[in-house]
Amino acid sequence: MSSVTALVIEDEADIRKLLSMAINRMGIDCHVAANLEEARHLLADARYQVCLTDMKLPDGNGVDFVRYIQSVQPDLPVAVVSAHGNMEAAVEAMKNGAFDFVSKPVDIHLLRKLITTAIATHATAANDARTQPHSSVPATHGGTPITHGRAGTHALVGDSPPIQNLRKMILKLARSNAPVWITGESGTGKELIARLIHTNSARAAAPFVPINCGAIPSELMESELFGHKKGSFTGAMQDHDGLFLQAEGGTLFLDEVAELPLHMQVKLLRVIQEKSLRRVGDTQEQITDVRILSASHKDLSAEVEAGRFRHDLYYRLNVITLTAPSLASRASDLPQLIRHFLNNMTNGTHQASITLDDAARTALNQYAFPGNVRELENILERALAMTEGNTIRVEDLGPLNITSTNHLLPDDLQKTHRHDSPSNGAVHTQSPNRDINKETIVATLEHTRWNRKQAAEQLGMTYRQLRYRIQQLGIISSDKSD
Ligand SMILES: Nc1ncnc2c1ncn2[C@@H]1O[C@H](COP(=O)(O)OP(=O)(O)OP(=O)(O)O)[C@@H](O)[C@H]1O
Ligand SMILES: [Mg+2]
């Protein structure tokens, strides 16, 4: 006897039969109901690991039923079967807690993938409930929270109410397949949040693939995302799996999604809707099982208003919005974050017991951090490079009031940094626009033929700071190899 049972609610007898047969063939028991009333009775009598419901039923609609399940058995993943092309209903159901959707006519391969992920999600949730019997939210401990089975390496540091709330949301969203759009100021941890949603989900064993939509040239975008067949265009020397296929079974993180060119927006919309894609030059469609998370520091609704972003894609990416809180809104996390970064940065070095003096601490406490956590990280990195002993002094922090940086070219930078003042590193590290920083660094590196020592001098950074920024911005791998 199988220990897994699914509940299927569908009023059309032949579709009901088809669904239950497909599920049985996966070795899963299946109970069926023709309406919501029957379904409620079944739910009261048996435990299910996954539920599949039609949207239009004789005695109510699927969204109401999703809400009902949320109230009686919140851990039960429910997927809705929506009429083909009726994405509004599917999105509405996901906003109300549905795990995922599948369109009619139901593709059996897709259904299988969906059921498998749903069951894994349920098992994960049940496991968590066993290991954390008193709460669905992991306890925080000494600044290394999310002490969760599968997570941990990319921990979210902080105990402030916004962070506690965020942690709850991450764990909740990890149990869904719904697209999540992560918004928030620069440097607030949007990518970290996306990773945590992935690592806490049933998809954790499959890849997390981040894509910076602003960094891929427009003409290569389709092949980068969806792959291509050998010979489909000049330079396509062999078959290539795109990033979607690389993320199969896992999560794709579309960072800076506002930068997607319009022609790609149409293609992406189709893939999300159909859950299948076609490589460039291929005649075959392939089913894809990838969860889509996206982020942007831009206001996407304003981009829609301005005609730069398709409303229909916005609507599908933004099924659930998660806002990364600014550092200023959670100032009580500052000491933990400082400790966390200093520990990370000095790990394995002789600077292991580094501290801040009172003036440095006060200065940081009073600072607004327009660049948020990333800026804090950069300030500390710089301070570590500047400090001579084991105590960071206020002058090691550089001036903490730089709010804007112009497009500085290497020559301008040289002028700016003529006087080797402590502000030098800060101009780079505290810029609210990291793209400018990156361009400037790349331009300077090219200018010096990739002599990092010389480039660092020209940029007014220490060699170590530059090396750190190169690594942080991934400059060597992406920019040098083109
Ligand atoms: N709560 C947190 N705890 C620990 N580290 C954090 C936290 N929030 C952010 N960070 C760190 O801050 C840095 C910036 O985070 P991340 O890249 O995720 O931000 P972002 O919002 O994607 O930034 P951007 O808008 O510039 O793309 C990373 O090194 C990340 O690990
Ligand atoms: Mg980011």
Side-chain angles (χ1 to χ4, degrees), residues 374 378 381 428-429 431 434 437-438 441 461 464-475:
R374 185 195 308 286
N378 289 338
E381 169 75 10
H428 310 286
T429 56
S431 159
R434 289 182 308 112
N437 284 339
K438 186 169 177 177
I441 291 172
M461 291 174 162
R464 197 180 138 186
Q465 282 173 330
L466 178 61
R467 210 181 48 188
Y468 174 75
R469 292 293 285 157
I470 287 174
Q471 186 198 18
Q472 194 184 38
L473 297 167
I475 287 174

mmCIF file with all atom_site columns, all heavy atoms in Angstrom, residues 374 378 381 428-429 431 434 437-438 441 461 464-475:
data_model
loop_
_atom_site.group_PDB
_atom_site.id
_atom_site.type_symbol
_atom_site.label_atom_id
_atom_site.label_alt_id
_atom_site.label_comp_id
_atom_site.label_asym_id
_atom_site.label_entity_id
_atom_site.label_seq_id
_atom_site.pdbx_PDB_ins_code
_atom_site.Cartn_x
_atom_site.Cartn_y
_atom_site.Cartn_z
_atom_site.occupancy
_atom_site.B_iso_or_equiv
_atom_site.pdbx_formal_charge
_atom_site.auth_seq_id
_atom_site.auth_comp_id
_atom_site.auth_asym_id
_atom_site.auth_atom_id
_atom_site.pdbx_PDB_model_num
ATOM 1   N N   . ARG A 1 374 ? 24.885 45.883 1.872   1.00 0.00 ? 374 ARG A N   1
ATOM 2   C CA  . ARG A 1 374 ? 26.086 45.799 1.055   1.00 0.00 ? 374 ARG A CA  1
ATOM 3   C C   . ARG A 1 374 ? 27.045 46.943 1.393   1.00 0.00 ? 374 ARG A C   1
ATOM 4   O O   . ARG A 1 374 ? 28.261 46.761 1.451   1.00 0.00 ? 374 ARG A O   1
ATOM 5   C CB  . ARG A 1 374 ? 25.739 45.849 -0.435  1.00 0.00 ? 374 ARG A CB  1
ATOM 6   C CG  . ARG A 1 374 ? 26.968 45.639 -1.323  1.00 0.00 ? 374 ARG A CG  1
ATOM 7   C CD  . ARG A 1 374 ? 26.719 46.040 -2.744  1.00 0.00 ? 374 ARG A CD  1
ATOM 8   N NE  . ARG A 1 374 ? 25.526 45.409 -3.271  1.00 0.00 ? 374 ARG A NE  1
ATOM 9   C CZ  . ARG A 1 374 ? 25.445 44.143 -3.598  1.00 0.00 ? 374 ARG A CZ  1
ATOM 10  N NH1 . ARG A 1 374 ? 26.483 43.367 -3.441  1.00 0.00 ? 374 ARG A NH1 1
ATOM 11  N NH2 . ARG A 1 374 ? 24.336 43.654 -4.072  1.00 0.00 ? 374 ARG A NH2 1
ATOM 12  N N   . ASN A 1 378 ? 30.856 46.784 2.687   1.00 0.00 ? 378 ASN A N   1
ATOM 13  C CA  . ASN A 1 378 ? 31.958 47.469 2.013   1.00 0.00 ? 378 ASN A CA  1
ATOM 14  C C   . ASN A 1 378 ? 32.714 48.396 2.956   1.00 0.00 ? 378 ASN A C   1
ATOM 15  O O   . ASN A 1 378 ? 33.940 48.481 2.901   1.00 0.00 ? 378 ASN A O   1
ATOM 16  C CB  . ASN A 1 378 ? 31.436 48.260 0.811   1.00 0.00 ? 378 ASN A CB  1
ATOM 17  C CG  . ASN A 1 378 ? 31.010 47.350 -0.321  1.00 0.00 ? 378 ASN A CG  1
ATOM 18  O OD1 . ASN A 1 378 ? 31.448 46.212 -0.398  1.00 0.00 ? 378 ASN A OD1 1
ATOM 19  N ND2 . ASN A 1 378 ? 30.134 47.827 -1.171  1.00 0.00 ? 378 ASN A ND2 1
ATOM 20  N N   . GLU A 1 381 ? 34.852 46.232 5.112   1.00 0.00 ? 381 GLU A N   1
ATOM 21  C CA  . GLU A 1 381 ? 35.962 45.682 4.338   1.00 0.00 ? 381 GLU A CA  1
ATOM 22  C C   . GLU A 1 381 ? 37.069 46.726 4.196   1.00 0.00 ? 381 GLU A C   1
ATOM 23  O O   . GLU A 1 381 ? 38.248 46.462 4.374   1.00 0.00 ? 381 GLU A O   1
ATOM 24  C CB  . GLU A 1 381 ? 35.430 45.243 2.962   1.00 0.00 ? 381 GLU A CB  1
ATOM 25  C CG  . GLU A 1 381 ? 36.483 44.884 1.941   1.00 0.00 ? 381 GLU A CG  1
ATOM 26  C CD  . GLU A 1 381 ? 37.150 43.527 2.176   1.00 0.00 ? 381 GLU A CD  1
ATOM 27  O OE1 . GLU A 1 381 ? 36.659 42.757 3.035   1.00 0.00 ? 381 GLU A OE1 1
ATOM 28  O OE2 . GLU A 1 381 ? 38.149 43.251 1.513   1.00 0.00 ? 381 GLU A OE2 1
ATOM 29  N N   . HIS A 1 428 ? 34.033 54.518 -4.117  1.00 0.00 ? 428 HIS A N   1
ATOM 30  C CA  . HIS A 1 428 ? 33.637 53.333 -4.876  1.00 0.00 ? 428 HIS A CA  1
ATOM 31  C C   . HIS A 1 428 ? 32.659 52.490 -4.099  1.00 0.00 ? 428 HIS A C   1
ATOM 32  O O   . HIS A 1 428 ? 31.611 52.133 -4.568  1.00 0.00 ? 428 HIS A O   1
ATOM 33  C CB  . HIS A 1 428 ? 34.858 52.477 -5.189  1.00 0.00 ? 428 HIS A CB  1
ATOM 34  C CG  . HIS A 1 428 ? 35.948 53.287 -5.771  1.00 0.00 ? 428 HIS A CG  1
ATOM 35  N ND1 . HIS A 1 428 ? 35.876 53.740 -7.051  1.00 0.00 ? 428 HIS A ND1 1
ATOM 36  C CD2 . HIS A 1 428 ? 37.080 53.769 -5.219  1.00 0.00 ? 428 HIS A CD2 1
ATOM 37  C CE1 . HIS A 1 428 ? 36.965 54.470 -7.284  1.00 0.00 ? 428 HIS A CE1 1
ATOM 38  N NE2 . HIS A 1 428 ? 37.683 54.493 -6.193  1.00 0.00 ? 428 HIS A NE2 1
ATOM 39  N N   . THR A 1 429 ? 33.038 52.209 -2.895  1.00 0.00 ? 429 THR A N   1
ATOM 40  C CA  . THR A 1 429 ? 32.267 51.211 -2.176  1.00 0.00 ? 429 THR A CA  1
ATOM 41  C C   . THR A 1 429 ? 30.909 51.727 -1.747  1.00 0.00 ? 429 THR A C   1
ATOM 42  O O   . THR A 1 429 ? 30.003 50.964 -1.546  1.00 0.00 ? 429 THR A O   1
ATOM 43  C CB  . THR A 1 429 ? 33.034 50.741 -0.933  1.00 0.00 ? 429 THR A CB  1
ATOM 44  O OG1 . THR A 1 429 ? 33.317 51.895 -0.168  1.00 0.00 ? 429 THR A OG1 1
ATOM 45  C CG2 . THR A 1 429 ? 34.292 50.033 -1.298  1.00 0.00 ? 429 THR A CG2 1
ATOM 46  N N   . SER A 1 431 ? 29.041 53.923 -3.466  1.00 0.00 ? 431 SER A N   1
ATOM 47  C CA  . SER A 1 431 ? 28.186 54.405 -4.538  1.00 0.00 ? 431 SER A CA  1
ATOM 48  C C   . SER A 1 431 ? 26.854 53.682 -4.506  1.00 0.00 ? 431 SER A C   1
ATOM 49  O O   . SER A 1 431 ? 26.797 52.465 -4.404  1.00 0.00 ? 431 SER A O   1
ATOM 50  C CB  . SER A 1 431 ? 28.851 54.129 -5.874  1.00 0.00 ? 431 SER A CB  1
ATOM 51  O OG  . SER A 1 431 ? 27.877 54.131 -6.878  1.00 0.00 ? 431 SER A OG  1
ATOM 52  N N   . ARG A 1 434 ? 25.927 50.450 -8.249  1.00 0.00 ? 434 ARG A N   1
ATOM 53  C CA  . ARG A 1 434 ? 27.068 49.562 -8.372  1.00 0.00 ? 434 ARG A CA  1
ATOM 54  C C   . ARG A 1 434 ? 27.479 49.350 -9.813  1.00 0.00 ? 434 ARG A C   1
ATOM 55  O O   . ARG A 1 434 ? 28.582 48.942 -10.096 1.00 0.00 ? 434 ARG A O   1
ATOM 56  C CB  . ARG A 1 434 ? 26.778 48.227 -7.695  1.00 0.00 ? 434 ARG A CB  1
ATOM 57  C CG  . ARG A 1 434 ? 26.728 48.328 -6.194  1.00 0.00 ? 434 ARG A CG  1
ATOM 58  C CD  . ARG A 1 434 ? 26.489 46.990 -5.579  1.00 0.00 ? 434 ARG A CD  1
ATOM 59  N NE  . ARG A 1 434 ? 25.334 46.348 -6.163  1.00 0.00 ? 434 ARG A NE  1
ATOM 60  C CZ  . ARG A 1 434 ? 25.378 45.282 -6.908  1.00 0.00 ? 434 ARG A CZ  1
ATOM 61  N NH1 . ARG A 1 434 ? 26.516 44.713 -7.165  1.00 0.00 ? 434 ARG A NH1 1
ATOM 62  N NH2 . ARG A 1 434 ? 24.287 44.771 -7.405  1.00 0.00 ? 434 ARG A NH2 1
ATOM 63  N N   . ASN A 1 437 ? 30.239 51.615 -10.572 1.00 0.00 ? 437 ASN A N   1
ATOM 64  C CA  . ASN A 1 437 ? 31.457 51.097 -9.960  1.00 0.00 ? 437 ASN A CA  1
ATOM 65  C C   . ASN A 1 437 ? 32.101 50.026 -10.816 1.00 0.00 ? 437 ASN A C   1
ATOM 66  O O   . ASN A 1 437 ? 33.276 50.033 -11.058 1.00 0.00 ? 437 ASN A O   1
ATOM 67  C CB  . ASN A 1 437 ? 31.136 50.472 -8.600  1.00 0.00 ? 437 ASN A CB  1
ATOM 68  C CG  . ASN A 1 437 ? 30.918 51.548 -7.579  1.00 0.00 ? 437 ASN A CG  1
ATOM 69  O OD1 . ASN A 1 437 ? 31.371 52.667 -7.774  1.00 0.00 ? 437 ASN A OD1 1
ATOM 70  N ND2 . ASN A 1 437 ? 30.219 51.220 -6.522  1.00 0.00 ? 437 ASN A ND2 1
ATOM 71  N N   . LYS A 1 438 ? 31.235 49.128 -11.281 1.00 0.00 ? 438 LYS A N   1
ATOM 72  C CA  . LYS A 1 438 ? 31.757 48.003 -12.033 1.00 0.00 ? 438 LYS A CA  1
ATOM 73  C C   . LYS A 1 438 ? 32.389 48.492 -13.339 1.00 0.00 ? 438 LYS A C   1
ATOM 74  O O   . LYS A 1 438 ? 33.508 48.107 -13.671 1.00 0.00 ? 438 LYS A O   1
ATOM 75  C CB  . LYS A 1 438 ? 30.621 47.016 -12.306 1.00 0.00 ? 438 LYS A CB  1
ATOM 76  C CG  . LYS A 1 438 ? 31.098 45.751 -12.949 1.00 0.00 ? 438 LYS A CG  1
ATOM 77  C CD  . LYS A 1 438 ? 30.001 44.719 -12.961 1.00 0.00 ? 438 LYS A CD  1
ATOM 78  C CE  . LYS A 1 438 ? 30.479 43.483 -13.684 1.00 0.00 ? 438 LYS A CE  1
ATOM 79  N NZ  . LYS A 1 438 ? 29.504 42.420 -13.689 1.00 0.00 ? 438 LYS A NZ  1
ATOM 80  N N   . ILE A 1 441 ? 35.626 50.144 -12.664 1.00 0.00 ? 441 ILE A N   1
ATOM 81  C CA  . ILE A 1 441 ? 36.682 49.190 -12.327 1.00 0.00 ? 441 ILE A CA  1
ATOM 82  C C   . ILE A 1 441 ? 37.151 48.468 -13.590 1.00 0.00 ? 441 ILE A C   1
ATOM 83  O O   . ILE A 1 441 ? 38.348 48.351 -13.845 1.00 0.00 ? 441 ILE A O   1
ATOM 84  C CB  . ILE A 1 441 ? 36.185 48.191 -11.247 1.00 0.00 ? 441 ILE A CB  1
ATOM 85  C CG1 . ILE A 1 441 ? 36.004 48.936 -9.926  1.00 0.00 ? 441 ILE A CG1 1
ATOM 86  C CG2 . ILE A 1 441 ? 37.170 47.040 -11.075 1.00 0.00 ? 441 ILE A CG2 1
ATOM 87  C CD1 . ILE A 1 441 ? 35.344 48.133 -8.838  1.00 0.00 ? 441 ILE A CD1 1
ATOM 88  N N   . MET A 1 461 ? 42.342 52.600 -4.436  1.00 0.00 ? 461 MET A N   1
ATOM 89  C CA  . MET A 1 461 ? 41.982 51.524 -3.513  1.00 0.00 ? 461 MET A CA  1
ATOM 90  C C   . MET A 1 461 ? 43.247 50.782 -3.131  1.00 0.00 ? 461 MET A C   1
ATOM 91  O O   . MET A 1 461 ? 44.251 50.883 -3.834  1.00 0.00 ? 461 MET A O   1
ATOM 92  C CB  . MET A 1 461 ? 41.107 50.479 -4.224  1.00 0.00 ? 461 MET A CB  1
ATOM 93  C CG  . MET A 1 461 ? 39.741 50.899 -4.593  1.00 0.00 ? 461 MET A CG  1
ATOM 94  S SD  . MET A 1 461 ? 39.048 49.527 -5.574  1.00 0.00 ? 461 MET A SD  1
ATOM 95  C CE  . MET A 1 461 ? 37.331 49.933 -5.471  1.00 0.00 ? 461 MET A CE  1
ATOM 96  N N   . ARG A 1 464 ? 44.061 44.934 -1.996  1.00 0.00 ? 464 ARG A N   1
ATOM 97  C CA  . ARG A 1 464 ? 43.134 43.991 -1.383  1.00 0.00 ? 464 ARG A CA  1
ATOM 98  C C   . ARG A 1 464 ? 41.669 44.384 -1.625  1.00 0.00 ? 464 ARG A C   1
ATOM 99  O O   . ARG A 1 464 ? 40.817 43.550 -1.919  1.00 0.00 ? 464 ARG A O   1
ATOM 100 C CB  . ARG A 1 464 ? 43.438 43.952 0.106   1.00 0.00 ? 464 ARG A CB  1
ATOM 101 C CG  . ARG A 1 464 ? 42.856 42.763 0.783   1.00 0.00 ? 464 ARG A CG  1
ATOM 102 C CD  . ARG A 1 464 ? 43.205 42.788 2.233   1.00 0.00 ? 464 ARG A CD  1
ATOM 103 N NE  . ARG A 1 464 ? 42.002 42.403 2.947   1.00 0.00 ? 464 ARG A NE  1
ATOM 104 C CZ  . ARG A 1 464 ? 41.890 42.427 4.238   1.00 0.00 ? 464 ARG A CZ  1
ATOM 105 N NH1 . ARG A 1 464 ? 42.866 42.880 4.989   1.00 0.00 ? 464 ARG A NH1 1
ATOM 106 N NH2 . ARG A 1 464 ? 40.783 42.040 4.802   1.00 0.00 ? 464 ARG A NH2 1
ATOM 107 N N   . GLN A 1 465 ? 41.424 45.689 -1.508  1.00 0.00 ? 465 GLN A N   1
ATOM 108 C CA  . GLN A 1 465 ? 40.055 46.162 -1.756  1.00 0.00 ? 465 GLN A CA  1
ATOM 109 C C   . GLN A 1 465 ? 39.631 45.865 -3.186  1.00 0.00 ? 465 GLN A C   1
ATOM 110 O O   . GLN A 1 465 ? 38.524 45.416 -3.441  1.00 0.00 ? 465 GLN A O   1
ATOM 111 C CB  . GLN A 1 465 ? 39.966 47.675 -1.524  1.00 0.00 ? 465 GLN A CB  1
ATOM 112 C CG  . GLN A 1 465 ? 39.899 48.059 -0.060  1.00 0.00 ? 465 GLN A CG  1
ATOM 113 C CD  . GLN A 1 465 ? 39.991 49.566 0.106   1.00 0.00 ? 465 GLN A CD  1
ATOM 114 O OE1 . GLN A 1 465 ? 40.610 50.263 -0.698  1.00 0.00 ? 465 GLN A OE1 1
ATOM 115 N NE2 . GLN A 1 465 ? 39.372 50.065 1.151   1.00 0.00 ? 465 GLN A NE2 1
ATOM 116 N N   . LEU A 1 466 ? 40.544 46.116 -4.106  1.00 0.00 ? 466 LEU A N   1
ATOM 117 C CA  . LEU A 1 466 ? 40.208 45.897 -5.511  1.00 0.00 ? 466 LEU A CA  1
ATOM 118 C C   . LEU A 1 466 ? 39.968 44.419 -5.768  1.00 0.00 ? 466 LEU A C   1
ATOM 119 O O   . LEU A 1 466 ? 39.000 44.037 -6.429  1.00 0.00 ? 466 LEU A O   1
ATOM 120 C CB  . LEU A 1 466 ? 41.326 46.420 -6.432  1.00 0.00 ? 466 LEU A CB  1
ATOM 121 C CG  . LEU A 1 466 ? 41.080 46.176 -7.933  1.00 0.00 ? 466 LEU A CG  1
ATOM 122 C CD1 . LEU A 1 466 ? 39.813 46.885 -8.400  1.00 0.00 ? 466 LEU A CD1 1
ATOM 123 C CD2 . LEU A 1 466 ? 42.263 46.629 -8.767  1.00 0.00 ? 466 LEU A CD2 1
ATOM 124 N N   . ARG A 1 467 ? 40.829 43.593 -5.214  1.00 0.00 ? 467 ARG A N   1
ATOM 125 C CA  . ARG A 1 467 ? 40.678 42.152 -5.395  1.00 0.00 ? 467 ARG A CA  1
ATOM 126 C C   . ARG A 1 467 ? 39.314 41.694 -4.882  1.00 0.00 ? 467 ARG A C   1
ATOM 127 O O   . ARG A 1 467 ? 38.601 40.921 -5.507  1.00 0.00 ? 467 ARG A O   1
ATOM 128 C CB  . ARG A 1 467 ? 41.791 41.441 -4.617  1.00 0.00 ? 467 ARG A CB  1
ATOM 129 C CG  . ARG A 1 467 ? 42.205 40.145 -5.244  1.00 0.00 ? 467 ARG A CG  1
ATOM 130 C CD  . ARG A 1 467 ? 43.275 39.500 -4.426  1.00 0.00 ? 467 ARG A CD  1
ATOM 131 N NE  . ARG A 1 467 ? 42.890 39.488 -3.017  1.00 0.00 ? 467 ARG A NE  1
ATOM 132 C CZ  . ARG A 1 467 ? 43.685 39.117 -2.027  1.00 0.00 ? 467 ARG A CZ  1
ATOM 133 N NH1 . ARG A 1 467 ? 44.905 38.758 -2.272  1.00 0.00 ? 467 ARG A NH1 1
ATOM 134 N NH2 . ARG A 1 467 ? 43.267 39.132 -0.780  1.00 0.00 ? 467 ARG A NH2 1
ATOM 135 N N   . TYR A 1 468 ? 38.934 42.265 -3.751  1.00 0.00 ? 468 TYR A N   1
ATOM 136 C CA  . TYR A 1 468 ? 37.644 41.935 -3.157  1.00 0.00 ? 468 TYR A CA  1
ATOM 137 C C   . TYR A 1 468 ? 36.490 42.357 -4.063  1.00 0.00 ? 468 TYR A C   1
ATOM 138 O O   . TYR A 1 468 ? 35.555 41.612 -4.312  1.00 0.00 ? 468 TYR A O   1
ATOM 139 C CB  . TYR A 1 468 ? 37.542 42.621 -1.791  1.00 0.00 ? 468 TYR A CB  1
ATOM 140 C CG  . TYR A 1 468 ? 36.199 42.475 -1.146  1.00 0.00 ? 468 TYR A CG  1
ATOM 141 C CD1 . TYR A 1 468 ? 35.809 41.268 -0.559  1.00 0.00 ? 468 TYR A CD1 1
ATOM 142 C CD2 . TYR A 1 468 ? 35.302 43.534 -1.121  1.00 0.00 ? 468 TYR A CD2 1
ATOM 143 C CE1 . TYR A 1 468 ? 34.576 41.137 0.034   1.00 0.00 ? 468 TYR A CE1 1
ATOM 144 C CE2 . TYR A 1 468 ? 34.053 43.404 -0.520  1.00 0.00 ? 468 TYR A CE2 1
ATOM 145 C CZ  . TYR A 1 468 ? 33.703 42.202 0.047   1.00 0.00 ? 468 TYR A CZ  1
ATOM 146 O OH  . TYR A 1 468 ? 32.483 42.074 0.629   1.00 0.00 ? 468 TYR A OH  1
ATOM 147 N N   . ARG A 1 469 ? 36.616 43.595 -4.590  1.00 0.00 ? 469 ARG A N   1
ATOM 148 C CA  . ARG A 1 469 ? 35.535 44.098 -5.465  1.00 0.00 ? 469 ARG A CA  1
ATOM 149 C C   . ARG A 1 469 ? 35.453 43.280 -6.760  1.00 0.00 ? 469 ARG A C   1
ATOM 150 O O   . ARG A 1 469 ? 34.371 42.999 -7.251  1.00 0.00 ? 469 ARG A O   1
ATOM 151 C CB  . ARG A 1 469 ? 35.763 45.578 -5.809  1.00 0.00 ? 469 ARG A CB  1
ATOM 152 C CG  . ARG A 1 469 ? 35.622 46.508 -4.643  1.00 0.00 ? 469 ARG A CG  1
ATOM 153 C CD  . ARG A 1 469 ? 34.200 46.561 -4.136  1.00 0.00 ? 469 ARG A CD  1
ATOM 154 N NE  . ARG A 1 469 ? 33.333 47.329 -5.009  1.00 0.00 ? 469 ARG A NE  1
ATOM 155 C CZ  . ARG A 1 469 ? 32.008 47.180 -5.062  1.00 0.00 ? 469 ARG A CZ  1
ATOM 156 N NH1 . ARG A 1 469 ? 31.422 46.293 -4.305  1.00 0.00 ? 469 ARG A NH1 1
ATOM 157 N NH2 . ARG A 1 469 ? 31.289 47.919 -5.858  1.00 0.00 ? 469 ARG A NH2 1
ATOM 158 N N   . ILE A 1 470 ? 36.608 42.892 -7.294  1.00 0.00 ? 470 ILE A N   1
ATOM 159 C CA  . ILE A 1 470 ? 36.622 42.097 -8.518  1.00 0.00 ? 470 ILE A CA  1
ATOM 160 C C   . ILE A 1 470 ? 35.895 40.781 -8.284  1.00 0.00 ? 470 ILE A C   1
ATOM 161 O O   . ILE A 1 470 ? 35.043 40.362 -9.062  1.00 0.00 ? 470 ILE A O   1
ATOM 162 C CB  . ILE A 1 470 ? 38.076 41.834 -8.979  1.00 0.00 ? 470 ILE A CB  1
ATOM 163 C CG1 . ILE A 1 470 ? 38.675 43.117 -9.549  1.00 0.00 ? 470 ILE A CG1 1
ATOM 164 C CG2 . ILE A 1 470 ? 38.141 40.715 -10.003 1.00 0.00 ? 470 ILE A CG2 1
ATOM 165 C CD1 . ILE A 1 470 ? 40.153 43.024 -9.895  1.00 0.00 ? 470 ILE A CD1 1
ATOM 166 N N   . GLN A 1 471 ? 36.187 40.193 -7.158  1.00 0.00 ? 471 GLN A N   1
ATOM 167 C CA  . GLN A 1 471 ? 35.564 38.913 -6.823  1.00 0.00 ? 471 GLN A CA  1
ATOM 168 C C   . GLN A 1 471 ? 34.075 39.109 -6.566  1.00 0.00 ? 471 GLN A C   1
ATOM 169 O O   . GLN A 1 471 ? 33.228 38.378 -7.072  1.00 0.00 ? 471 GLN A O   1
ATOM 170 C CB  . GLN A 1 471 ? 36.258 38.371 -5.577  1.00 0.00 ? 471 GLN A CB  1
ATOM 171 C CG  . GLN A 1 471 ? 35.798 36.988 -5.202  1.00 0.00 ? 471 GLN A CG  1
ATOM 172 C CD  . GLN A 1 471 ? 36.164 36.694 -3.762  1.00 0.00 ? 471 GLN A CD  1
ATOM 173 O OE1 . GLN A 1 471 ? 36.451 37.590 -2.975  1.00 0.00 ? 471 GLN A OE1 1
ATOM 174 N NE2 . GLN A 1 471 ? 36.125 35.435 -3.401  1.00 0.00 ? 471 GLN A NE2 1
ATOM 175 N N   . GLN A 1 472 ? 33.749 40.179 -5.820  1.00 0.00 ? 472 GLN A N   1
ATOM 176 C CA  . GLN A 1 472 ? 32.368 40.445 -5.457  1.00 0.00 ? 472 GLN A CA  1
ATOM 177 C C   . GLN A 1 472 ? 31.505 40.719 -6.690  1.00 0.00 ? 472 GLN A C   1
ATOM 178 O O   . GLN A 1 472 ? 30.365 40.279 -6.783  1.00 0.00 ? 472 GLN A O   1
ATOM 179 C CB  . GLN A 1 472 ? 32.360 41.657 -4.528  1.00 0.00 ? 472 GLN A CB  1
ATOM 180 C CG  . GLN A 1 472 ? 31.063 41.862 -3.799  1.00 0.00 ? 472 GLN A CG  1
ATOM 181 C CD  . GLN A 1 472 ? 31.114 43.137 -2.993  1.00 0.00 ? 472 GLN A CD  1
ATOM 182 O OE1 . GLN A 1 472 ? 31.680 44.136 -3.418  1.00 0.00 ? 472 GLN A OE1 1
ATOM 183 N NE2 . GLN A 1 472 ? 30.524 43.112 -1.825  1.00 0.00 ? 472 GLN A NE2 1
ATOM 184 N N   . LEU A 1 473 ? 32.084 41.454 -7.637  1.00 0.00 ? 473 LEU A N   1
ATOM 185 C CA  . LEU A 1 473 ? 31.311 41.820 -8.827  1.00 0.00 ? 473 LEU A CA  1
ATOM 186 C C   . LEU A 1 473 ? 31.431 40.775 -9.930  1.00 0.00 ? 473 LEU A C   1
ATOM 187 O O   . LEU A 1 473 ? 30.839 40.912 -10.985 1.00 0.00 ? 473 LEU A O   1
ATOM 188 C CB  . LEU A 1 473 ? 31.780 43.189 -9.365  1.00 0.00 ? 473 LEU A CB  1
ATOM 189 C CG  . LEU A 1 473 ? 31.568 44.385 -8.425  1.00 0.00 ? 473 LEU A CG  1
ATOM 190 C CD1 . LEU A 1 473 ? 32.337 45.590 -8.913  1.00 0.00 ? 473 LEU A CD1 1
ATOM 191 C CD2 . LEU A 1 473 ? 30.086 44.720 -8.309  1.00 0.00 ? 473 LEU A CD2 1
ATOM 192 N N   . GLY A 1 474 ? 32.183 39.729 -9.689  1.00 0.00 ? 474 GLY A N   1
ATOM 193 C CA  . GLY A 1 474 ? 32.343 38.667 -10.684 1.00 0.00 ? 474 GLY A CA  1
ATOM 194 C C   . GLY A 1 474 ? 32.999 39.181 -11.963 1.00 0.00 ? 474 GLY A C   1
ATOM 195 O O   . GLY A 1 474 ? 32.696 38.717 -13.055 1.00 0.00 ? 474 GLY A O   1
ATOM 196 N N   . ILE A 1 475 ? 33.882 40.138 -11.827 1.00 0.00 ? 475 ILE A N   1
ATOM 197 C CA  . ILE A 1 475 ? 34.426 40.789 -13.022 1.00 0.00 ? 475 ILE A CA  1
ATOM 198 C C   . ILE A 1 475 ? 35.268 39.848 -13.877 1.00 0.00 ? 475 ILE A C   1
ATOM 199 O O   . ILE A 1 475 ? 35.076 39.761 -15.069 1.00 0.00 ? 475 ILE A O   1
ATOM 200 C CB  . ILE A 1 475 ? 35.241 42.052 -12.645 1.00 0.00 ? 475 ILE A CB  1
ATOM 201 C CG1 . ILE A 1 475 ? 34.273 43.153 -12.231 1.00 0.00 ? 475 ILE A CG1 1
ATOM 202 C CG2 . ILE A 1 475 ? 36.093 42.521 -13.825 1.00 0.00 ? 475 ILE A CG2 1
ATOM 203 C CD1 . ILE A 1 475 ? 34.939 44.398 -11.704 1.00 0.00 ? 475 ILE A CD1 1
#
